[in-house]
Amino acid sequence: MTEQADMVRDGRADVALVSRPFDDHGLESELLWTEPRVAALPAGHELAARDVLSPDDLADIPAPRWSGARDADQNYWSAHPGRPVDGPIIQDASQLLEVVAFGQAAALVPTSLARSNQRPDVVYLPVRDIAPYQMMLVWPAGSRSLWIARFLDCAIRHSSEQPAEP
């Protein structure tokens, strides 16, 4: 989860899309969009029949852990950031959904991921009182690159064209 920001910091990339939280040291950023997060649960889980969940409902269920993520990053993906429950280590969103489907964890995911990954073995439920998902564009602090400025302008204009909720 920190690789993209690290690539901008060390010059391997000029810009990157990252989600909060991230280490913003040496970077400037612009918020592109914000969206709610929902809980992804195995279809057969006892909570799957509910309409809405609270963070307390998810407190004792393991949460997937992103490979290489810092504690602050891991805590954001837990329903209770102060006391996350360790779950399987994952590399990407497809692995995240597999560990959920297998009943090994529950995950908090952006609604856009839920909409684009409908599966019969995973249900998505709203969760009250959790921080939203934020997608950011980052670039090196102090950069005066015209190319980065043009890219940033284009990204900001087009991010306002996010598809509406179904």
Side-chain angles (χ1 to χ4, degrees):
M1 293 196 57
T2 63
E3 182 179 7
Q4 292 91 338
D6 290 342
M7 290 175 73
V8 172
R9 263 191 289 279
D10 68 21
R12 291 179 287 159
D14 294 324
V15 296
L17 291 171
V18 298
S19 61
R20 286 228 180 258
F22 65 93
D23 176 8
D24 62 359
H25 174 77
L27 301 172
E28 292 186 41
S29 64
E30 182 71 32
L31 175 65
L32 294 179
W33 71 82
T34 299
E35 63 182 292
R37 291 187 295 163
V38 295
L41 294 163
H45 195 278
E46 63 188 34
L47 295 175
R50 299 239 189 120
D51 292 328
V52 178
L53 300 175
S54 74
D56 287 341
D57 293 328
L58 303 168
D60 296 323
I61 302 172
R65 297 178 292 147
W66 291 94
S67 176
R70 300 169 309 144
D71 286 346
D73 298 332
Q74 297 292 8
N75 291 346
Y76 171 79
W77 295 101
S78 168
H80 279 281
R83 52 183 169 100
V85 179
D86 287 343
I89 295 174
I90 58 169
Q91 302 291 328
D92 57 37
S94 63
Q95 279 187 333
L96 180 145
L97 294 174
E98 288 301 314
V99 300
V100 168
F102 290 141
Q104 298 170 342
L108 296 173
V109 301
T111 54
S112 58
L113 187 139
R115 277 194 316 269
S116 63
N117 288 278
Q118 294 295 310
R119 311 167 42 140
D121 51 356
V122 175
V123 297
Y124 301 100
L125 298 173
V127 182
R128 290 188 310 271
D129 303 324
I130 58 168
Y133 178 82
Q134 294 183 317
M135 180 56 68
M136 311 291 292
L137 183 64
V138 299
W139 63 95
S143 173
R144 299 295 173 246
S145 165
L146 179 59
W147 298 110
I148 291 175
R150 287 179 178 166
F151 184 86
L152 179 61
D153 179 60
C154 182
I156 291 169
R157 278 187 286 118
H158 290 284
S159 69
S160 65
E161 299 170 9
Q162 283 287 308
E165 294 282 328

